[in-house]
Amino acid sequence: MMRVSVSNTRRGLLDFFAEHFGGRVNRYNKRSDKWKDEFRWGINGLPAAEVLNSCLPYLVIKRPQAMLALEFASTIQPERSRIPDSFRQMRERIYKEMMALNKRGPK
């Protein structure tokens, strides 16, 4: 499944995403007295690809991940249809590349 999410300690931007793209905003209580509460907006499936296409011109740091996600979206098939082996291989490659891009710590 494809999912796009945005987190912030201020709700305004996330409400903008919900108004323009759908999805929902959830609040998560702070885990420490030193932290602020967190808000998260998210959307799944092909609507997530529409969000990425709209935001792509403005993405700098997460642009490589967005490009991979859009490539993944091109492999999404109608429900219950068999995924061709070529798409499975493409998805596996995309998964590995995404994991490498999102790896924490020194690169």
Side-chain angles (χ1 to χ4, degrees):
M1 175 190 289
M2 185 168 151
R3 178 170 178 76
V4 170
S5 63
V6 179
S7 300
N8 205 313
T9 56
R10 293 188 170 186
R11 186 174 179 139
L13 175 65
L14 307 177
D15 286 337
F16 172 86
F17 275 94
E19 288 174 25
H20 287 83
F21 300 113
R24 53 185 302 183
V25 177
N26 294 305
R27 181 183 191 149
Y28 294 87
N29 293 326
K30 58 187 175 182
R31 296 184 215 161
S32 165
D33 290 338
K34 297 177 183 179
W35 295 2
K36 295 180 182 179
D37 287 347
E38 174 188 6
F39 297 94
R40 291 183 204 158
W41 167 84
I43 195 162
N44 300 321
L46 287 177
E50 294 173 23
V51 171
L52 291 177
N53 273 319
S54 296
C55 295
L56 198 59
Y58 309 101
L59 295 175
V60 177
I61 295 171
K62 292 291 185 176
R63 187 179 188 84
Q65 287 91 330
M67 297 297 292
L68 281 174
L70 289 170
E71 187 178 355
F72 177 88
S74 72
T75 70
I76 295 175
Q77 300 288 298
E79 288 187 37
R80 306 273 186 215
S81 64
R82 185 177 183 286
I83 300 171
D85 288 337
S86 61
F87 281 7
R88 287 180 193 275
Q89 292 169 357
M90 184 185 299
R91 286 181 175 189
E92 182 66 25
R93 178 188 52 77
I94 291 168
Y95 173 79
K96 288 177 181 176
E97 288 181 30
M98 189 72 78
M99 294 299 289
L101 287 170
N102 290 333
K103 182 181 177 192
R104 294 181 181 200
K107 302 210 177 201

